[in-house]
Amino acid sequence: MKIAIPKEIVPNERRVSVVPETAARLVKSGLAVRVEAGAGVGANFSDQAYKNTGTTVVSDPLALYDEADVVLKVQKPVMNTALGNHEVELLREGTVLISFLQPMLNPDLVQMLAQRKITAFSMDAIPRTTRAQSMDALSSQSTVAGYKAVLLAANAAKKLFPMLTTAAGTITPAKVFILGAGVAGLQAIATAKRLGAIVQAFDVRPAVKQEVESLGAKFVGLTMQEAADKSGYAKELSEEQNRKNRELIAQYAKDADIVITTALVPGKKAPVLITKEMIHQMKTGAVIVDLAAEQGGNCEATKAGQEIADNGVTVLGPVNLPSMMSCHASQMYSKNITTLLQLMVKDGKLNLDFNDEIIKGCCITHEGKIL
Ligand code: NAD
């Protein structure tokens, strides 16, 4: 069975779906692994590193796609302007594709995949269960984003994070306020603590308080039993509940040097937690990094992919932070995607068990049908 690892063609995407270390494991298990020349370069992995594992390096993307039984990607298929073809058109009928697809946001792509009779699995639809943890790419990539968000904030701030006692006087530690303490938020807390900041965090799910405190941060949320569903995930709040939250957030935001927002309710537009009015009460020089920029933003002033200045406050709305940390983001994604692949392979052959909750949960199209 031939496994293809194409080069990602979305602008600024530096990750690769499978790194050499994991490719070596696939080769050892009897699979023919083929990588497009240069696919790993953006993440520090040379063609030679793949060759050393027994992976074949293929220069022609058309040949790579044409001979593949399974294609492993990071980004959803897009138009390849260099080849004049959509990546879906490069896939042979019946090929298995695994990548981020965001099917609810991309109905046209899902239609194309179904028409082309591709068996497509979406990495963002992996059930967030204990058994699927090692395949949970949303979590692994959010971990990277939470870390990088703090570094971007530290870079944009004109202040040091740690307390310093020097001959030139004492520097007080920066105050970092994190909104949303899920995967990205917890990693942001840990990173800001390591840099020496005083960290406060806000969330609405009751389970979060203990996790925040275990990282040495102060929890300042209004935990609400009704904020989580049966499986523990955040639910959308009423406008009245959001208003109460904003009142509390405003008290802490005005003293913060850095605010990092990561609040998300699965499948919904991001809740607005920082209004323009709140920005106008913040300290001059404060920095907001809004990780929810692509979901509409947790901050009213955010513009996805841009840095804006409002009343002396800098608001960053970075997109695709994992690509900025492409080496380790790829390493983790590679583990996620190949663990899922291993669930689909038996004795070197494809063996799709649609009774398996993970396979069923993340399969988007199969045999021409949209699942
Ligand atoms: P997660 O589901 O693990 O965490 C989200 C947290 O937000 C949860 O703890 C939830 O309780 C909390 N929340 C929901 N509603 C809230 C509210 N009204 N007030 C306060 N907290 C609330 O999600 P995650 O994986 O940590 O991702 C967080 C965000 O970061 C998402 O928007 C995600 O898309 C984004 N993200 C961005 C990038 C990037 O490059 N910009 C990369 C990865 C993730």
Side-chain angles (χ1 to χ4, degrees), residues 305-316:
Q306 292 183 33
E307 170 177 334
I308 63 144
D310 189 349
N311 208 37
V313 175
T314 303
V315 184
L316 307 179

Side-chain angles (χ1 to χ4, degrees), residues 15 102 128 136-146 178-186 202-206 208 211 227-228 232-237 241-242 245 249 261-266 268 270-273 289-295 298 317-324:
R15 289 171 292 175
Q102 296 177 297
R128 275 180 145 175
D136 185 351
L138 280 180
S139 287
S140 71
Q141 304 306 293
S142 281
T143 299
V144 176
I178 314 268
L179 300 178
V183 180
L186 289 173
F202 175 94
D203 201 302
V204 287
R205 282 184 301 123
V208 172
E211 290 167 347
Y233 285 104
K235 287 198 306 197
E236 206 168 22
L237 301 178
Q241 286 166 321
N242 276 326
N245 283 338
I249 290 167
T261 67
T262 77
L264 168 81
V265 177
K268 306 279 177 202
V272 174
L273 304 178
V289 178
D290 189 347
L291 278 194
E294 277 172 291
Q295 284 80 33
N298 290 142
V319 294
N320 202 357
L321 288 179
S323 172
M324 292 171 95

Side-chain angles (χ1 to χ4, degrees), residues 3 23 117 124 189 219 270 302 331:
I3 312 293
K117 298 199 169 61
D124 41 284
I189 294 171
F219 184 75
T302 301
Q331 187 181 317

Side-chain angles (χ1 to χ4, degrees), residues 104-176:
M104 306 306 261
L105 297 177
N106 301 297
D108 294 348
L109 172 66
V110 174
Q111 278 290 350
M112 271 179 97
L113 290 164
Q115 270 162 16
R116 190 100 189 142
K117 298 199 169 61
I118 303 303
T119 300
F121 295 91
S122 188
M123 289 302 284
D124 41 284
I126 300 267
R128 275 180 145 175
T129 58
T130 309
R131 184 172 157 249
Q133 242 170 16
S134 54
M135 304 165 215
D136 185 351
L138 280 180
S139 287
S140 71
Q141 304 306 293
S142 281
T143 299
V144 176
Y147 170 87
K148 186 69 181 176
V150 175
L151 299 191
L152 288 183
N155 206 28
K158 296 186 177 77
K159 288 186 170 181
L160 299 168
F161 268 33
M163 186 181 97
L164 293 182
T165 307
T166 77
T170 299
I171 303 286
T172 51
K175 281 193 183 152
V176 176

